Amino acid sequence: QVQLVESGGGLVQPGGSLRLSCVASGTISRVNVMGWYRQAPGKEREMVATITQGKSTTYADSVKGRFTISRDNAKNTMYLQLDMLKPEDTAVYYCHLNQRRTVLDKYKDYWGQGTRVTVSS
């Protein structure tokens, strides 16, 4: 059983900053990939950024240079620093974990409940 709990969303003005957190609990494998996804009203969910256990990162082109993903493996916690926010960043942001318990198992996806980010003046 794995649970992901996000926090840190809110209302911010354009150009402002927020920091999202995601705490993972339960059986967390030593090797996994975590990430942030977002879904804006009327749009499909899209990848924002991902980070491996070894802290290799990927970013969507739309957030490169503005968002920073990081993680603390000892605390099973992942962060997303959102800077220079734009109205088009408004969305529900979801924490994601992909892992398998053993090499004999299939990889499985886990999702948090989401935290809302609204960028508006």
Side-chain angles (χ1 to χ4, degrees), residues 11-55:
L11 173 64
V12 63
Q13 292 186 343
S17 297
L18 282 174
R19 190 191 194 204
L20 307 184
S21 300
C22 171
V23 179
S25 60
T27 304
I28 307 302
S29 299
R30 187 174 61 84
V31 178
N32 62 65
V33 179
M34 296 188 76
W36 290 97
Y37 290 70
R38 67 185 181 186
Q39 188 166 18
K43 295 187 177 181
E44 294 188 352
R45 191 173 298 189
E46 62 176 359
M47 186 276 288
V48 175
T50 66
I51 185 167
T52 67
Q53 194 85 359
K55 301 187 180 178

mmCIF file of all heavy atoms in Angstrom, residues 11-55:
data_model
loop_
_atom_site.group_PDB
_atom_site.id
_atom_site.type_symbol
_atom_site.label_atom_id
_atom_site.label_comp_id
_atom_site.label_asym_id
_atom_site.label_seq_id
_atom_site.Cartn_x
_atom_site.Cartn_y
_atom_site.Cartn_z
ATOM 1 N N LEU A 11 -3.422 30.249 -4.264
ATOM 2 C CA LEU A 11 -3.620 31.348 -5.210
ATOM 3 C C LEU A 11 -2.385 32.244 -5.184
ATOM 4 O O LEU A 11 -1.937 32.657 -4.101
ATOM 5 C CB LEU A 11 -4.864 32.146 -4.835
ATOM 6 C CG LEU A 11 -5.132 33.437 -5.613
ATOM 7 C CD1 LEU A 11 -5.398 33.123 -7.084
ATOM 8 C CD2 LEU A 11 -6.305 34.187 -5.000
ATOM 9 N N VAL A 12 -1.860 32.551 -6.361
ATOM 10 C CA VAL A 12 -0.671 33.388 -6.441
ATOM 11 C C VAL A 12 -0.789 34.296 -7.652
ATOM 12 O O VAL A 12 -1.435 33.931 -8.651
ATOM 13 C CB VAL A 12 0.602 32.508 -6.516
ATOM 14 C CG1 VAL A 12 0.611 31.651 -7.771
ATOM 15 C CG2 VAL A 12 1.865 33.340 -6.396
ATOM 16 N N GLN A 13 -0.185 35.447 -7.581
ATOM 17 C CA GLN A 13 -0.223 36.392 -8.696
ATOM 18 C C GLN A 13 0.796 35.989 -9.762
ATOM 19 O O GLN A 13 1.791 35.322 -9.460
ATOM 20 C CB GLN A 13 0.086 37.799 -8.199
ATOM 21 C CG GLN A 13 -0.978 38.391 -7.309
ATOM 22 C CD GLN A 13 -0.699 39.841 -6.956
ATOM 23 O OE1 GLN A 13 0.420 40.321 -7.099
ATOM 24 N NE2 GLN A 13 -1.727 40.548 -6.503
ATOM 25 N N PRO A 14 0.550 36.404 -10.996
ATOM 26 C CA PRO A 14 1.540 36.127 -12.054
ATOM 27 C C PRO A 14 2.920 36.643 -11.654
ATOM 28 O O PRO A 14 3.040 37.746 -11.096
ATOM 29 C CB PRO A 14 0.981 36.887 -13.258
ATOM 30 C CG PRO A 14 -0.496 36.906 -13.016
ATOM 31 C CD PRO A 14 -0.655 37.052 -11.530
ATOM 32 N N GLY A 15 3.935 35.838 -11.936
ATOM 33 C CA GLY A 15 5.294 36.182 -11.539
ATOM 34 C C GLY A 15 5.676 35.693 -10.159
ATOM 35 O O GLY A 15 6.850 35.764 -9.773
ATOM 36 N N GLY A 16 4.698 35.203 -9.423
ATOM 37 C CA GLY A 16 4.952 34.739 -8.068
ATOM 38 C C GLY A 16 5.495 33.328 -8.003
ATOM 39 O O GLY A 16 5.787 32.711 -9.045
ATOM 40 N N SER A 17 5.638 32.830 -6.781
ATOM 41 C CA SER A 17 6.232 31.514 -6.551
ATOM 42 C C SER A 17 5.400 30.696 -5.577
ATOM 43 O O SER A 17 4.679 31.248 -4.737
ATOM 44 C CB SER A 17 7.648 31.664 -5.973
ATOM 45 O OG SER A 17 8.514 32.328 -6.871
ATOM 46 N N LEU A 18 5.509 29.384 -5.710
ATOM 47 C CA LEU A 18 4.927 28.434 -4.780
ATOM 48 C C LEU A 18 5.874 27.252 -4.664
ATOM 49 O O LEU A 18 6.677 26.996 -5.574
ATOM 50 C CB LEU A 18 3.568 27.922 -5.264
ATOM 51 C CG LEU A 18 2.336 28.795 -5.104
ATOM 52 C CD1 LEU A 18 1.139 28.129 -5.791
ATOM 53 C CD2 LEU A 18 2.027 29.061 -3.639
ATOM 54 N N ARG A 19 5.726 26.520 -3.561
ATOM 55 C CA ARG A 19 6.489 25.282 -3.404
ATOM 56 C C ARG A 19 5.525 24.169 -3.030
ATOM 57 O O ARG A 19 4.855 24.246 -1.992
ATOM 58 C CB ARG A 19 7.561 25.409 -2.332
ATOM 59 C CG ARG A 19 8.527 24.230 -2.297
ATOM 60 C CD ARG A 19 9.392 24.251 -1.064
ATOM 61 N NE ARG A 19 10.531 23.346 -1.165
ATOM 62 C CZ ARG A 19 11.159 22.823 -0.137
ATOM 63 N NH1 ARG A 19 10.754 23.096 1.099
ATOM 64 N NH2 ARG A 19 12.199 22.021 -0.307
ATOM 65 N N LEU A 20 5.465 23.153 -3.887
ATOM 66 C CA LEU A 20 4.611 21.993 -3.636
ATOM 67 C C LEU A 20 5.439 20.891 -2.986
ATOM 68 O O LEU A 20 6.624 20.739 -3.293
ATOM 69 C CB LEU A 20 4.001 21.483 -4.933
ATOM 70 C CG LEU A 20 3.258 22.488 -5.802
ATOM 71 C CD1 LEU A 20 2.643 21.781 -7.006
ATOM 72 C CD2 LEU A 20 2.208 23.221 -5.016
ATOM 73 N N SER A 21 4.797 20.125 -2.125
ATOM 74 C CA SER A 21 5.431 18.978 -1.483
ATOM 75 C C SER A 21 4.576 17.746 -1.682
ATOM 76 O O SER A 21 3.348 17.835 -1.778
ATOM 77 C CB SER A 21 5.625 19.228 0.015
ATOM 78 O OG SER A 21 6.443 20.341 0.261
ATOM 79 N N CYS A 22 5.227 16.595 -1.727
ATOM 80 C CA CYS A 22 4.530 15.316 -1.817
ATOM 81 C C CYS A 22 5.238 14.334 -0.894
ATOM 82 O O CYS A 22 6.433 14.063 -1.073
ATOM 83 C CB CYS A 22 4.524 14.786 -3.239
ATOM 84 S SG CYS A 22 3.902 13.091 -3.391
ATOM 85 N N VAL A 23 4.492 13.822 0.076
ATOM 86 C CA VAL A 23 5.042 12.847 1.001
ATOM 87 C C VAL A 23 4.512 11.469 0.641
ATOM 88 O O VAL A 23 3.289 11.279 0.549
ATOM 89 C CB VAL A 23 4.692 13.188 2.451
ATOM 90 C CG1 VAL A 23 5.262 12.133 3.388
ATOM 91 C CG2 VAL A 23 5.227 14.561 2.818
ATOM 92 N N ALA A 24 5.417 10.534 0.439
ATOM 93 C CA ALA A 24 5.041 9.156 0.138
ATOM 94 C C ALA A 24 5.164 8.306 1.394
ATOM 95 O O ALA A 24 6.142 8.406 2.127
ATOM 96 C CB ALA A 24 5.945 8.591 -0.959
ATOM 97 N N SER A 25 4.155 7.465 1.628
ATOM 98 C CA SER A 25 4.196 6.568 2.778
ATOM 99 C C SER A 25 3.786 5.175 2.330
ATOM 100 O O SER A 25 3.173 4.990 1.279
ATOM 101 C CB SER A 25 3.282 7.068 3.893
ATOM 102 O OG SER A 25 1.950 7.145 3.445
ATOM 103 N N GLY A 26 4.119 4.202 3.163
ATOM 104 C CA GLY A 26 3.828 2.820 2.813
ATOM 105 C C GLY A 26 5.097 2.120 2.346
ATOM 106 O O GLY A 26 6.196 2.472 2.743
ATOM 107 N N THR A 27 4.925 1.133 1.482
ATOM 108 C CA THR A 27 6.062 0.349 0.991
ATOM 109 C C THR A 27 6.660 1.038 -0.227
ATOM 110 O O THR A 27 6.112 0.945 -1.331
ATOM 111 C CB THR A 27 5.625 -1.081 0.629
ATOM 112 O OG1 THR A 27 5.015 -1.696 1.764
ATOM 113 C CG2 THR A 27 6.846 -1.899 0.202
ATOM 114 N N ILE A 28 7.759 1.738 -0.011
ATOM 115 C CA ILE A 28 8.418 2.485 -1.084
ATOM 116 C C ILE A 28 9.666 1.711 -1.499
ATOM 117 O O ILE A 28 10.531 1.431 -0.682
ATOM 118 C CB ILE A 28 8.805 3.899 -0.629
ATOM 119 C CG1 ILE A 28 7.600 4.628 -0.034
ATOM 120 C CG2 ILE A 28 9.387 4.680 -1.807
ATOM 121 C CD1 ILE A 28 6.432 4.759 -0.958
ATOM 122 N N SER A 29 9.740 1.381 -2.757
ATOM 123 C CA SER A 29 10.877 0.628 -3.266
ATOM 124 C C SER A 29 12.121 1.498 -3.320
ATOM 125 O O SER A 29 12.030 2.721 -3.449
ATOM 126 C CB SER A 29 10.574 0.091 -4.670
ATOM 127 O OG SER A 29 9.483 -0.777 -4.648
ATOM 128 N N ARG A 30 13.250 0.827 -3.260
ATOM 129 C CA ARG A 30 14.526 1.565 -3.310
ATOM 130 C C ARG A 30 14.715 2.234 -4.663
ATOM 131 O O ARG A 30 15.330 3.297 -4.759
ATOM 132 C CB ARG A 30 15.672 0.609 -3.015
ATOM 133 C CG ARG A 30 17.031 1.280 -2.871
ATOM 134 C CD ARG A 30 18.073 0.260 -2.439
ATOM 135 N NE ARG A 30 18.225 -0.804 -3.417
ATOM 136 C CZ ARG A 30 18.997 -0.720 -4.480
ATOM 137 N NH1 ARG A 30 19.668 0.379 -4.722
ATOM 138 N NH2 ARG A 30 19.089 -1.727 -5.331
ATOM 139 N N VAL A 31 14.193 1.612 -5.712
ATOM 140 C CA VAL A 31 14.311 2.162 -7.067
ATOM 141 C C VAL A 31 12.931 2.587 -7.536
ATOM 142 O O VAL A 31 12.011 1.781 -7.603
ATOM 143 C CB VAL A 31 14.901 1.125 -8.040
ATOM 144 C CG1 VAL A 31 14.955 1.706 -9.458
ATOM 145 C CG2 VAL A 31 16.280 0.697 -7.574
ATOM 146 N N ASN A 32 12.783 3.855 -7.822
ATOM 147 C CA ASN A 32 11.485 4.345 -8.288
ATOM 148 C C ASN A 32 11.662 5.663 -9.025
ATOM 149 O O ASN A 32 12.740 6.258 -9.009
ATOM 150 C CB ASN A 32 10.518 4.528 -7.111
ATOM 151 C CG ASN A 32 11.010 5.553 -6.105
ATOM 152 O OD1 ASN A 32 11.128 6.736 -6.430
ATOM 153 N ND2 ASN A 32 11.269 5.125 -4.888
ATOM 154 N N VAL A 33 10.610 6.077 -9.660
ATOM 155 C CA VAL A 33 10.569 7.385 -10.316
ATOM 156 C C VAL A 33 9.365 8.135 -9.773
ATOM 157 O O VAL A 33 8.258 7.594 -9.733
ATOM 158 C CB VAL A 33 10.454 7.271 -11.848
ATOM 159 C CG1 VAL A 33 10.385 8.661 -12.482
ATOM 160 C CG2 VAL A 33 11.634 6.484 -12.414
ATOM 161 N N MET A 34 9.599 9.363 -9.365
ATOM 162 C CA MET A 34 8.496 10.217 -8.904
ATOM 163 C C MET A 34 8.346 11.380 -9.877
ATOM 164 O O MET A 34 9.284 11.716 -10.623
ATOM 165 C CB MET A 34 8.761 10.744 -7.501
ATOM 166 C CG MET A 34 8.834 9.654 -6.452
ATOM 167 S SD MET A 34 8.916 10.298 -4.764
ATOM 168 C CE MET A 34 7.201 10.796 -4.517
ATOM 169 N N GLY A 35 7.180 11.974 -9.866
ATOM 170 C CA GLY A 35 6.967 13.080 -10.782
ATOM 171 C C GLY A 35 5.782 13.926 -10.408
ATOM 172 O O GLY A 35 4.973 13.556 -9.552
ATOM 173 N N TRP A 36 5.702 15.072 -11.046
ATOM 174 C CA TRP A 36 4.553 15.973 -10.926
ATOM 175 C C TRP A 36 3.861 16.049 -12.274
ATOM 176 O O TRP A 36 4.519 16.216 -13.316
ATOM 177 C CB TRP A 36 5.003 17.371 -10.509
ATOM 178 C CG TRP A 36 5.494 17.441 -9.098
ATOM 179 C CD1 TRP A 36 6.789 17.387 -8.661
ATOM 180 C CD2 TRP A 36 4.685 17.581 -7.918
ATOM 181 N NE1 TRP A 36 6.838 17.480 -7.298
ATOM 182 C CE2 TRP A 36 5.545 17.604 -6.819
ATOM 183 C CE3 TRP A 36 3.313 17.699 -7.695
ATOM 184 C CZ2 TRP A 36 5.103 17.729 -5.502
ATOM 185 C CZ3 TRP A 36 2.862 17.824 -6.395
ATOM 186 C CH2 TRP A 36 3.749 17.844 -5.316
ATOM 187 N N TYR A 37 2.560 15.931 -12.234
ATOM 188 C CA TYR A 37 1.710 16.083 -13.403
ATOM 189 C C TYR A 37 0.679 17.153 -13.087
ATOM 190 O O TYR A 37 0.431 17.451 -11.923
ATOM 191 C CB TYR A 37 1.021 14.761 -13.752
ATOM 192 C CG TYR A 37 1.952 13.709 -14.294
ATOM 193 C CD1 TYR A 37 2.891 13.102 -13.475
ATOM 194 C CD2 TYR A 37 1.893 13.321 -15.629
ATOM 195 C CE1 TYR A 37 3.768 12.138 -13.975
ATOM 196 C CE2 TYR A 37 2.752 12.356 -16.140
ATOM 197 C CZ TYR A 37 3.684 11.776 -15.302
ATOM 198 O OH TYR A 37 4.545 10.835 -15.808
ATOM 199 N N ARG A 38 0.070 17.712 -14.112
ATOM 200 C CA ARG A 38 -0.966 18.707 -13.870
ATOM 201 C C ARG A 38 -2.088 18.552 -14.878
ATOM 202 O O ARG A 38 -1.892 18.057 -15.985
ATOM 203 C CB ARG A 38 -0.400 20.125 -13.922
ATOM 204 C CG ARG A 38 0.077 20.572 -15.297
ATOM 205 C CD ARG A 38 0.739 21.956 -15.203
ATOM 206 N NE ARG A 38 1.194 22.428 -16.517
ATOM 207 C CZ ARG A 38 1.892 23.544 -16.693
ATOM 208 N NH1 ARG A 38 2.236 24.297 -15.641
ATOM 209 N NH2 ARG A 38 2.257 23.908 -17.907
ATOM 210 N N GLN A 39 -3.259 18.998 -14.457
ATOM 211 C CA GLN A 39 -4.427 18.961 -15.329
ATOM 212 C C GLN A 39 -5.181 20.264 -15.202
ATOM 213 O O GLN A 39 -5.681 20.588 -14.107
ATOM 214 C CB GLN A 39 -5.336 17.780 -14.986
ATOM 215 C CG GLN A 39 -6.459 17.586 -15.973
ATOM 216 C CD GLN A 39 -7.131 16.237 -15.830
ATOM 217 O OE1 GLN A 39 -6.999 15.566 -14.807
ATOM 218 N NE2 GLN A 39 -7.846 15.821 -16.862
ATOM 219 N N ALA A 40 -5.231 20.997 -16.285
ATOM 220 C CA ALA A 40 -5.965 22.252 -16.327
ATOM 221 C C ALA A 40 -7.411 21.966 -16.737
ATOM 222 O O ALA A 40 -7.698 20.942 -17.359
ATOM 223 C CB ALA A 40 -5.311 23.205 -17.319
ATOM 224 N N PRO A 41 -8.321 22.866 -16.411
ATOM 225 C CA PRO A 41 -9.736 22.661 -16.775
ATOM 226 C C PRO A 41 -9.897 22.423 -18.272
ATOM 227 O O PRO A 41 -9.386 23.190 -19.091
ATOM 228 C CB PRO A 41 -10.396 23.970 -16.341
ATOM 229 C CG PRO A 41 -9.521 24.491 -15.260
ATOM 230 C CD PRO A 41 -8.130 24.105 -15.635
ATOM 231 N N GLY A 42 -10.584 21.364 -18.628
ATOM 232 C CA GLY A 42 -10.854 21.068 -20.029
ATOM 233 C C GLY A 42 -9.693 20.482 -20.795
ATOM 234 O O GLY A 42 -9.781 20.296 -22.015
ATOM 235 N N LYS A 43 -8.589 20.186 -20.100
ATOM 236 C CA LYS A 43 -7.413 19.642 -20.772
ATOM 237 C C LYS A 43 -7.022 18.296 -20.176
ATOM 238 O O LYS A 43 -7.444 17.946 -19.075
ATOM 239 C CB LYS A 43 -6.241 20.616 -20.672
ATOM 240 C CG LYS A 43 -6.460 21.921 -21.413
ATOM 241 C CD LYS A 43 -5.203 22.748 -21.415
ATOM 242 C CE LYS A 43 -5.392 24.030 -22.214
ATOM 243 N NZ LYS A 43 -4.143 24.852 -22.248
ATOM 244 N N GLU A 44 -6.195 17.567 -20.908
ATOM 245 C CA GLU A 44 -5.718 16.289 -20.413
ATOM 246 C C GLU A 44 -4.571 16.502 -19.421
ATOM 247 O O GLU A 44 -3.897 17.537 -19.434
ATOM 248 C CB GLU A 44 -5.234 15.419 -21.580
ATOM 249 C CG GLU A 44 -6.348 14.996 -22.526
ATOM 250 C CD GLU A 44 -5.878 13.985 -23.535
ATOM 251 O OE1 GLU A 44 -4.675 13.716 -23.617
ATOM 252 O OE2 GLU A 44 -6.741 13.453 -24.269
ATOM 253 N N ARG A 45 -4.370 15.485 -18.581
ATOM 254 C CA ARG A 45 -3.270 15.540 -17.632
ATOM 255 C C ARG A 45 -1.949 15.482 -18.400
ATOM 256 O O ARG A 45 -1.794 14.694 -19.330
ATOM 257 C CB ARG A 45 -3.366 14.380 -16.647
ATOM 258 C CG ARG A 45 -2.429 14.476 -15.468
ATOM 259 C CD ARG A 45 -2.706 13.384 -14.438
ATOM 260 N NE ARG A 45 -4.043 13.486 -13.883
ATOM 261 C CZ ARG A 45 -4.470 12.763 -12.850
ATOM 262 N NH1 ARG A 45 -3.653 11.890 -12.271
ATOM 263 N NH2 ARG A 45 -5.697 12.906 -12.401
ATOM 264 N N GLU A 46 -0.986 16.300 -17.974
ATOM 265 C CA GLU A 46 0.299 16.346 -18.653
ATOM 266 C C GLU A 46 1.439 16.281 -17.650
ATOM 267 O O GLU A 46 1.307 16.700 -16.509
ATOM 268 C CB GLU A 46 0.443 17.637 -19.476
ATOM 269 C CG GLU A 46 0.407 18.902 -18.650
ATOM 270 C CD GLU A 46 0.657 20.152 -19.477
ATOM 271 O OE1 GLU A 46 0.878 20.049 -20.695
ATOM 272 O OE2 GLU A 46 0.647 21.248 -18.878
ATOM 273 N N MET A 47 2.564 15.740 -18.102
ATOM 274 C CA MET A 47 3.748 15.644 -17.269
ATOM 275 C C MET A 47 4.348 17.040 -17.107
ATOM 276 O O MET A 47 4.478 17.788 -18.071
ATOM 277 C CB MET A 47 4.761 14.695 -17.895
ATOM 278 C CG MET A 47 5.978 14.399 -17.054
ATOM 279 S SD MET A 47 7.327 15.625 -17.187
ATOM 280 C CE MET A 47 7.937 15.281 -18.837
ATOM 281 N N VAL A 48 4.731 17.363 -15.879
ATOM 282 C CA VAL A 48 5.417 18.617 -15.597
ATOM 283 C C VAL A 48 6.916 18.361 -15.400
ATOM 284 O O VAL A 48 7.758 19.001 -16.021
ATOM 285 C CB VAL A 48 4.834 19.289 -14.343
ATOM 286 C CG1 VAL A 48 5.628 20.538 -13.987
ATOM 287 C CG2 VAL A 48 3.357 19.610 -14.547
ATOM 288 N N ALA A 49 7.243 17.411 -14.520
ATOM 289 C CA ALA A 49 8.636 17.088 -14.240
ATOM 290 C C ALA A 49 8.703 15.726 -13.566
ATOM 291 O O ALA A 49 7.758 15.327 -12.886
ATOM 292 C CB ALA A 49 9.269 18.143 -13.342
ATOM 293 N N THR A 50 9.820 15.032 -13.777
ATOM 294 C CA THR A 50 10.043 13.741 -13.125
ATOM 295 C C THR A 50 11.445 13.708 -12.541
ATOM 296 O O THR A 50 12.342 14.452 -12.979
ATOM 297 C CB THR A 50 9.886 12.558 -14.096
ATOM 298 O OG1 THR A 50 10.918 12.611 -15.084
ATOM 299 C CG2 THR A 50 8.519 12.577 -14.776
ATOM 300 N N ILE A 51 11.618 12.821 -11.541
ATOM 301 C CA ILE A 51 12.921 12.692 -10.898
ATOM 302 C C ILE A 51 13.100 11.251 -10.450
ATOM 303 O O ILE A 51 12.196 10.654 -9.859
ATOM 304 C CB ILE A 51 13.062 13.685 -9.719
ATOM 305 C CG1 ILE A 51 14.472 13.630 -9.121
ATOM 306 C CG2 ILE A 51 11.996 13.452 -8.652
ATOM 307 C CD1 ILE A 51 14.766 14.792 -8.180
ATOM 308 N N THR A 52 14.266 10.687 -10.750
ATOM 309 C CA THR A 52 14.550 9.310 -10.356
ATOM 310 C C THR A 52 15.117 9.272 -8.939
ATOM 311 O O THR A 52 15.427 10.313 -8.343
ATOM 312 C CB THR A 52 15.572 8.685 -11.311
ATOM 313 O OG1 THR A 52 16.842 9.348 -11.132
ATOM 314 C CG2 THR A 52 15.143 8.818 -12.768
ATOM 315 N N GLN A 53 15.253 8.049 -8.433
ATOM 316 C CA GLN A 53 15.860 7.880 -7.110
ATOM 317 C C GLN A 53 17.274 8.455 -7.098
ATOM 318 O O GLN A 53 17.722 9.000 -6.091
ATOM 319 C CB GLN A 53 15.899 6.388 -6.767
ATOM 320 C CG GLN A 53 16.197 6.093 -5.318
ATOM 321 C CD GLN A 53 14.953 6.121 -4.454
ATOM 322 O OE1 GLN A 53 13.866 6.386 -4.947
ATOM 323 N NE2 GLN A 53 15.085 5.861 -3.183
ATOM 324 N N GLY A 54 17.947 8.374 -8.241
ATOM 325 C CA GLY A 54 19.287 8.924 -8.368
ATOM 326 C C GLY A 54 19.314 10.405 -8.682
ATOM 327 O O GLY A 54 20.377 10.981 -8.902
ATOM 328 N N LYS A 55 18.107 11.028 -8.734
ATOM 329 C CA LYS A 55 17.929 12.476 -8.895
ATOM 330 C C LYS A 55 18.203 12.971 -10.307
ATOM 331 O O LYS A 55 18.548 14.147 -10.493
ATOM 332 C CB LYS A 55 18.711 13.248 -7.840
ATOM 333 C CG LYS A 55 18.288 12.866 -6.419
ATOM 334 C CD LYS A 55 18.899 13.714 -5.351
ATOM 335 C CE LYS A 55 18.413 13.248 -3.965
ATOM 336 N NZ LYS A 55 19.011 14.017 -2.856
#
